[in-house]
C-alpha cells in the first residue's frame, strides 16, 4: 500500500536526490531504499516492523530519513551510549542538512549520566573521601559543571566515565529531591527532560527506555515523552536489557550507598535525632555478614539457596538493620532525610519480597520451582534512570504509600527466577522474569504507535523467530536484507583441524598454537575474542610469551589492563596491535581496514549451563514440551557468534580471516544452523590457505586505512548513504 511518506522517502535516496547532492560519489543501494520504505510504511500505519539489515546496508540513514520526513514525534533508542552520541551529534545533523529540514532534536540519557549540582556540593562540603585523589577529581567535575551546558559526564575532559568518583557527583532515583531541590533552576536532568518534551526527535538508549517502561509498571511518572513512533537500533540487545529492568534486584552496592548517605545526611541535617554513627556501623556490619554468608564468587540458583539457611538469616539481618523508625522520626527535618526514609522503606520492601520468593521456593510454591513472586518493581541496578516529576512532599508521600502497598500488586502470570550473584566486592539478590514477552506486548498494545526494531544481527538461519518470541512481537512484519559486502571474495572462515574438545584441559593451549602463526603472519592487527575471562588469561599468557620470543613489535592489549574505550583507542593507533578480550569486545567495536584483518574466536559462544536464569528457562520450556536447545541455547549462540564475526568486515574494501577454533561448527548437526546465520564466508580447514589469505594483509598499514567506522559499520558517508 502506497503511503504519503513513500514518495518523498524514495526521492531522498534517488541517484539525483538530496542525499546524492549532499555527498559526491553517492551510490544508490536497493536494500537501503527498501528498508527506508518499510520504515515509512510502519510509521504511517502505526504497525510493528522487525528488520535485519546486514552490515553495510546503511540502516542508520534508512530509518533517519523517514523519521525526519514524517514530521511526527519520534523516539530513537540505541543499544549503547556511544552509538547514541554518534547518532545525535553526527548522523542526525547530516541527514537534516541534506534534506533541508528544521526538525528539532534532543539527547536524553539516564540520570546517572548528568552532574547533580546538589549532591556534588553536599559531598564536597562533607569532605569524606576514600582516596585523597578523589577530592581533586571531584573539584574538576565541579569546574566542568560550571561551564557545561549539558552536564553530560561523557563530555567531561580527562575524567573517565568509569571513575567511581562520579557516584558523588550524580543523583539516583531514590535520592533526587525533584522539584524541591534548591538547585532545580540549574538542574541538568530537568533541562534535558524539558528539551526532550519539546523536540521532534529524541535520541535515548535501551536502558532508559526500559527504565521508563518499568516505572510505568509501578505507576510512577514516565521518563520519556509520548511519541508517534519508536525506532530501536541495535535491537538484538533489547531482550536482555528488558529482562534487567523488568526484574528486581538488591545489591550490596546499593546498600553501601545507602549507608554512606545515612551517615552524611544524618550528621548534617539531624545530628541530635539519633546516633547515626552507631546506626551506620550496625547496618554496614549486617552487609558484611551477608557478603560472608554468600561464600565464594559465582552464581547461586534457587535449588542451592534453599539449603543456605545462614544466608537467609543474613538477608533478614540486613532488613532488620535498616533504621526505618529513626529515619521516619527525623524525615520532617529535611528533604534529604525524607528521601532517605523512603529509600529505607523501599529497600526493606525489596528485601522482604525477595525473602518471600525464597520461602516460596523452599515450600515448592515458587514459579516452576524457580522461587519468586510477581515481578513489579524495577530494582535493576545496571543503569539507573531518571525519576519522574515526583519531587514534592505530597508526591513523595504518595511514593511511600505505594511502597507500603506494593505487595498487594500481585501479577501471578509473570513468574520470576530467583538467584544470587556473588562477586569479589559484593552480592546481588535477583528476581529475574522468566519472560518479558507479555510485559512488552502489554506496553505495545497500550500505546498505538509504530514500533520499529532493527539490527545487523536478529536472524538465526534466516529466521527472526527467536527475537520476536522473546519480545512478544507475534504481529510484527519481519524483513531481512543481506550485507552488500562480498564476503566470499574478501573474507575467509578458517576452522583449524585437531583443535579438540573445548572442554579439554589442553584446549586453551591448542587455540593459542593454532592462532599464533596467523597472528605472527599478520603482524598483529587482530582481535582474539574469548567466551570466558579464564580463557582471556590463558591466551594472554600463551600469546604474550610468543610475542616476547618473536620480538616483532606486536603490542599486546588485554582486557582488564585499561578501560574498554582506552584499549580500543590504543588498538586503533598502534602499529601492530593484538587485543584479547571477552564479551564486551564481541560487539559495538568498529575498526575499518587492514588495522583489524584477523579475528580469532576461541569456541562457539554457548551460554554456561550453570547460569541460573538459563537453567530455569530451559527447565520451564522442557516442562512445556518445547525444545530448549533449539529454541533457546542455539539461537543465543548464533546471535553472539554473528556479533563476534561481524568485527572483521566493516567496509567494502575490508579483507581478512575469521578463525573459529571449534570443530563442532562443522562436525555437529547444529553447526549448519550456525553457519547459515553467518555471512557467506569462504570456508577452509587448511592452515596454509589461511596464511596465504593474510599474506597481502601483512604490508605496513596505510594511515588512511586506520580509523573507526560509522555506527552501521561503514567507514564514511559516501559508503553509508
Amino acid at each position: 500500500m502506497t503511503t504519503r511518506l513513500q514518495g518523498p522517502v524514495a526521492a531522498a535516496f534517488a541517484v539525483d536526490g538530496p542525499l546524492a547532492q549532499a555527498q559526491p560519489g553517492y551510490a544508490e543501494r536497493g536494500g537501503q531504499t527498501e528498508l527506508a520504505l518499510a520504515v515509512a510504511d510502519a510509521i504511517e500505519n502505526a504497525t510493528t516492523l522487525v528488520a535485519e539489515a546486514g552490515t553495510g546496508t546503511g540502516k542508520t540513514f534508512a530509518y533517519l530519513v523517514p523519521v525526519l520526513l514524517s514530521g511526527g514525534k519520534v523516539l530513537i533508542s540505541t543499544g549503547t551510549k556511544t552509538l547514541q552520541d554518534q547518532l545525535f551529534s553526527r548522523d542526525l545533523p547530516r541527514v537534516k542538512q541534506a534534506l533541508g529540514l528544521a526538525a528539532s532534536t534532543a539527547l536524553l540519557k539516564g540520570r546517572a549520566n548528568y552532574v547533580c549540582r546538589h549532591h556534588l556540593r553536599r559531598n564536597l562540603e562533607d569532605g569524606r573521601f576514600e582516596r585523597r585523589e578523589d577530592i581533586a577529581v571531584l573539584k574538576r567535575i565541579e569546574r566542568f559543571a560550571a561551564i557545561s551546558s549539558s552536564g553530560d559526564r561523557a563530555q567531561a575532559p580527562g575524567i573517565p566515565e568509569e571513575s567511581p568518583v562520579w557516584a558523588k557527583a550524580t543523583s539516583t532515583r531514590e535520592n533526587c529531591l525533584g522539584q524541591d531541590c534548591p538547585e532545580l533552576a540549574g538542574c541538568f536532568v530537568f533541562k534535558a527532560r524539558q528539551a526532550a518534551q519539546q523536540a521532534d526527535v529524541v535520541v535515548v538508549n535501551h536502558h532508559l527506555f526500559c527504565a521508563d517502561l518499568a516505572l510505568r509498571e509501578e505507576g510512577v511518572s514516565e521518563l520519556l515523552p509520548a511519541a508517534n513512533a519508536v525506532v530501536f537500533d541495535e535491537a538484538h540487545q533489547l531482550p536482555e536489557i528488558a529482562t534487567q529492568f523488568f526484574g528486581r534486584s538488591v545489591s550490596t552496592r546499593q546498600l553501601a550507598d545507602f549507608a554512606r548517605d545515612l551517615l552524611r545526611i544524618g550528621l548534617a541535617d539531624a545530628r541530635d535525632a539519633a546516633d547515626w554513627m552507631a546506626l551506620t556501623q550496625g547496618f554496614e556490619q549486617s552487609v558484611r555478614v551477608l557478603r560472608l554468608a554468600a561464600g565464594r564468587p559465582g552464581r547461586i540458583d534457587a535449588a542451592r539457596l534453599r539449603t543456605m539457611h545462614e544466608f537467609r538469616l543474613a538477608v533478614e539481618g540486613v532488613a532488620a538493620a535498616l533504621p526505618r523508625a529513626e529515619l521516619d522520626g527525623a524525615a520532617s527535618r529535611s528533604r534529604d532525610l525524607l528521601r532517605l526514609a523512603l529509600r529505607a522503606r523501599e529497600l526493606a520492601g525489596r528485601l522482604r519480597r525477595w525473602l518471600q520468593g525464597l520461602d516460596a521456593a523452599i515450600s515448592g510454591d515458587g514459579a516452576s520451582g524457580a522461587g519468586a513472586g510477581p515481578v513489579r518493581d524495577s530494582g535493576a541496578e545496571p543503569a539507573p534512570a531518571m525519576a519522574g516529576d515526583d519531587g514534592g512532599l505530597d508526591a513523595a508521600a504518595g511514593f511511600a504509600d505505594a511502597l507500603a502497598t506494593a505487595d498487594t500488586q500481585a501479577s501471578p502470570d509473570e513468574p520470576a527466577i530467583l538467584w544470587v550473584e556473588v562477586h569479589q566486592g559484593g552480592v546481588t539478590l535477583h528476581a529475574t522474569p522468566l519472560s518479558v514477552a507479555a510485559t512488552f506486548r502489554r506496553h505495545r498494545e497500550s500505546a498505538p504507535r509504530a514500533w520499529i526494531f532493527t539490527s545487523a544481527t536478529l536472524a538465526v538461519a534466516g529466521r527472526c523467530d527467536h527475537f520476536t518470541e522473546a519480545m512478544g512481537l507475534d504481529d510484527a512484519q519481519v524483513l531481512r536484507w543481506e550485507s552488500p559486502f562480498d564476503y566470499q571474495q574478501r573474507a575467509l572462515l578458517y576452522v583449524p583441524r585437531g583443535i579438540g574438545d573445548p572442554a579439554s584441559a589442553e584446549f586453551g593451549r591448542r587455540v593459542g598454537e593454532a592462532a599464533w602463526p596467523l597472528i605472527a603472519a599478520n603482524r598483529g592487527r587482530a582481535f582474539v575474542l574469548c567466551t570466558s575471562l579464564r580463557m582471556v588469561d590463558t591466551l594472554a599468557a600463551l600469546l604474550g610469551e610468543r610475542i616476547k620470543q618473536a620480538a616483532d613489535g606486536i603490542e599486546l592489549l588485554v582486557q582488564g589492563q585499561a578501560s574498554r574505550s582506552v584499549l580500543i583507542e590504543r588498538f586503533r593507533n598502534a602499529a601492530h596491535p593484538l587485543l584479547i578480550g571477552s564479551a564486551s569486545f564481541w560487539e559495538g567495536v568498529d575498526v575499518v581496514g587492514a588495522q583489524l584483518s584477523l579475528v580469532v574466536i576461541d569456541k562457539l559462544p554457548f551460554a554456561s549451563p550453570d547460569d541460573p536464569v538459563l537453567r530455569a528457562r530451559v527447565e520451564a520450556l522442557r516442562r512445556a514440551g518445547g525444545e530448549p536447545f533449539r529454541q533457546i541455547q542455539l539461537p543465543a549462540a548464533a546471535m553472539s557468534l554473528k556479533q563476534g564475526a561481524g568485527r572483521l568486515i566493516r567496509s567494502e574494501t575490508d579483507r581478512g580471516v575469521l578463525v573459529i577454533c571449534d570443530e563442532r561448527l562443522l562436525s555437529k548437526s547444529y553447526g549448519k544452523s550456525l553457519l547459515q546465520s553467518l555471512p557467506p564466508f569462504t570456508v577452509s580447514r587448511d592452515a596454509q590457505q589461511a596464511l596465504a589469505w593474510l599474506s597481502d594483509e601483512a604490508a605496513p598499514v596505510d594511515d588512511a586505512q586506520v580509523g573507526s567506522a560509522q555506527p552501521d559499520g561503514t567507514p564514511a558517508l559516501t559508503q553509508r548513504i
Side-chain angles (χ1 to χ4, degrees):
M1 184 176 80
T2 302
T3 67
R4 175 185 62 84
L5 266 180
Q6 286 189 327
V9 168
F13 288 98
V15 290
D16 59 348
L19 294 177
Q21 294 172 15
Q23 179 63 44
Y26 170 80
E28 187 177 15
R29 296 181 179 183
Q32 185 179 50
T33 304
E34 291 170 9
L35 173 57
L37 292 173
V39 172
D41 181 73
I43 291 175
E44 285 228 279
N45 294 294
T47 56
T48 300
L49 171 67
V50 173
E52 182 186 68
T55 303
T57 305
K59 64 180 172 62
T60 306
F61 278 30
Y63 66 71
L64 284 180
V65 168
V67 159
L68 289 166
L69 289 174
S70 73
K73 181 91 169 186
V74 180
L75 297 176
I76 301 176
S77 181
T78 68
T80 60
K81 288 184 290 185
T82 299
L83 177 56
Q84 186 184 7
D85 289 332
Q86 291 175 348
L87 193 63
F88 178 76
S89 62
R90 184 168 61 192
D91 298 318
L92 263 173
R94 285 179 173 176
V95 179
K96 280 177 56 180
Q97 183 178 13
L99 299 178
L101 298 174
S104 58
T105 61
L107 181 71
L108 188 59
K109 300 180 181 179
R111 176 183 301 280
N113 293 279
Y114 300 96
V115 175
C116 172
R117 298 181 190 274
H118 174 68
H119 289 283
L120 173 63
R121 176 178 55 80
R122 289 294 298 262
N123 280 302
L124 280 170
E125 290 174 354
D126 181 59
R128 297 175 185 272
F129 301 97
E130 296 178 4
R131 302 175 303 173
R132 182 173 298 177
E133 55 265 32
D134 289 352
I135 304 174
V137 176
L138 209 60
K139 283 287 187 181
R140 290 171 63 188
I141 294 175
E142 183 183 38
R143 290 193 292 271
F144 161 72
I147 61 173
S148 174
S149 60
S150 68
D152 186 343
R153 70 197 232 178
Q155 300 174 9
I159 306 173
E161 287 192 67
E162 302 87 358
S163 172
V165 180
W166 281 111
K168 296 181 179 294
T170 57
S171 65
T172 66
R173 183 168 71 91
E174 292 86 357
N175 64 22
C176 173
L177 299 184
Q179 295 192 11
D180 284 344
C181 179
E183 301 284 354
L184 181 64
C187 176
F188 293 118
V189 174
F190 185 70
K191 288 192 287 187
R193 290 198 65 195
Q194 280 189 317
Q197 291 291 337
Q198 298 165 3
D200 299 312
V201 179
V202 184
V203 183
V204 300
N205 56 63
H206 298 346
H207 289 85
L208 182 58
F209 188 89
C210 291
D212 176 67
L213 294 188
L215 286 176
R216 292 172 192 247
E217 287 282 287
E218 297 178 42
V220 181
S221 300
E222 297 89 349
L223 309 179
L224 304 179
N228 304 109
V230 184
V231 179
F232 298 94
D233 201 344
E234 299 178 310
H236 63 278
Q237 297 183 15
L238 263 175
E240 181 178 351
I241 294 173
T243 295
Q244 294 173 357
F245 280 90
F246 294 152
R248 299 194 303 264
S249 70
V250 184
S251 71
T252 51
R253 174 185 168 186
Q254 290 171 292
L255 299 173
D257 288 345
F258 172 83
R260 182 193 67 216
D261 291 343
L262 174 67
L263 183 61
R264 177 179 61 80
I265 295 171
L267 292 177
D269 295 356
R271 182 178 291 271
D272 60 331
D275 188 344
W276 302 110
M277 182 69 75
L279 290 171
T280 301
Q281 290 175 345
F283 181 70
E284 289 176 333
Q285 176 60 23
S286 73
V287 175
R288 285 192 289 271
V289 170
L290 176 65
R291 172 62 190 89
L292 290 172
R296 289 185 289 184
R299 294 186 168 192
I300 308 172
D301 63 11
R304 186 176 158 205
L305 285 170
R306 294 186 187 108
T307 68
M308 297 175 63
H309 180 63
E310 289 190 4
F311 182 77
R312 190 199 188 288
L313 291 177
V315 177
E316 288 182 339
V318 172
L322 283 163
R324 294 177 57 187
E326 291 83 357
L327 284 169
D328 286 347
S332 61
R333 299 282 194 98
S334 72
R335 282 292 309 177
D336 279 333
L337 278 167
L338 175 58
R339 283 287 175 179
L340 201 59
L342 294 177
R343 284 171 67 185
R345 297 183 70 179
E346 182 173 10
L347 286 170
R350 292 187 191 185
L351 292 167
R352 182 174 63 253
R353 287 189 290 275
W354 193 88
L355 286 169
Q356 289 171 347
L358 181 58
D359 290 341
I362 293 171
S363 66
D365 295 331
S368 303
V375 179
R376 298 297 295 179
D377 62 297
S378 60
E381 188 188 28
M386 296 182 303
D389 293 324
D390 55 353
L393 280 169
D394 291 341
F399 182 43
D401 291 341
L403 288 174
T405 59
D407 288 337
T408 66
Q409 300 175 351
S411 181
D413 295 330
E414 298 177 19
I417 302 157
L418 200 75
W419 59 289
V420 170
E421 185 173 19
V422 185
H423 44 89
Q424 204 64 44
V427 179
T428 303
L429 315 180
H430 292 281
T432 300
L434 197 59
S435 169
V436 299
T439 303
F440 214 88
R441 186 184 299 112
R442 184 168 64 248
H443 284 291
R444 281 200 308 122
E445 293 172 349
S446 69
R449 56 186 178 186
W451 295 77
I452 298 155
F453 304 83
T454 184
S455 171
T457 54
L458 286 177
V460 177
R463 299 182 60 85
C464 296
D465 298 3
H466 174 66
F467 177 78
T468 56
E469 290 172 7
M471 296 299 295
L473 307 177
D474 307 331
D475 58 337
Q477 180 185 24
V478 180
L479 299 172
R480 295 183 61 243
W481 288 269
E482 298 289 350
S483 169
F485 299 158
D486 188 353
Y487 282 88
Q488 288 189 329
Q489 294 297 319
R490 306 201 65 83
L492 179 75
L493 168 56
Y494 168 52
V495 182
R497 296 182 187 275
I499 206 78
D501 183 355
S504 166
E506 294 295 305
F507 182 71
R509 179 182 59 79
R510 290 172 181 157
V511 169
E513 290 176 348
W516 172 247
L518 300 170
I519 294 168
N522 204 49
R523 300 173 67 195
R525 297 180 294 160
F527 274 9
V528 176
L529 302 177
C530 303
T531 50
S532 69
L533 290 174
R534 179 179 297 177
M535 185 62 81
V536 169
D537 295 338
T538 298
L539 292 179
L542 289 169
L543 296 175
E545 187 61 33
R546 292 293 187 101
I547 289 171
K548 287 180 183 178
Q549 294 172 0
D552 56 0
I554 294 177
E555 181 179 352
L556 181 61
L557 306 172
V558 182
Q559 179 175 337
Q561 288 179 342
S563 70
R564 177 178 181 270
S565 59
V566 168
L567 288 174
I568 293 170
E569 190 62 25
R570 285 169 59 183
F571 184 94
R572 288 190 174 119
N573 295 315
H576 306 290
L578 169 63
L579 188 149
I580 304 176
S582 62
S584 61
F585 292 92
W586 283 63
E587 63 178 291
V589 181
D590 298 313
V591 182
V592 175
Q595 185 71 358
L596 177 55
S597 44
L598 173 64
V599 172
V600 180
I601 293 176
D602 65 339
K603 65 177 180 178
L604 300 179
F606 286 107
S608 169
D610 294 331
D611 179 85
V613 176
L614 173 62
R615 187 160 57 245
R617 287 177 172 162
V618 164
E619 290 173 358
L621 184 59
R622 185 177 290 117
R623 279 191 296 272
E627 300 178 55
F629 181 76
R630 184 182 63 82
Q631 293 177 256
I632 298 178
Q633 292 154 292
L634 185 60
M639 300 274 277
S640 295
L641 187 64
K642 203 171 182 178
Q643 283 291 334
R647 298 313 96 212
L648 182 64
I649 302 297
R650 307 303 299 175
S651 77
E652 285 108 336
T653 58
D654 279 9
R655 186 174 186 276
V657 173
L658 169 67
V659 185
I660 300 179
C661 301
D662 194 330
E663 295 181 281
R664 294 177 298 176
L665 182 66
L666 301 179
S667 65
K668 296 293 185 181
S669 58
Y670 57 76
K672 183 178 180 180
S673 293
L674 296 174
L675 277 175
Q676 289 176 341
S677 300
L678 293 174
F681 288 91
T682 295
V683 181
S684 174
R685 304 212 65 184
D686 187 340
Q688 293 305 312
Q689 184 180 3
L691 286 168
W693 193 281
L694 288 170
S695 61
D696 291 338
E697 297 294 326
V701 182
D702 189 300
D703 287 343
Q705 293 179 303
V706 181
S708 61
Q710 301 289 347
D712 66 351
T714 49
L717 185 62
T718 54
Q719 286 148 337
R720 295 190 64 239
I721 65 174

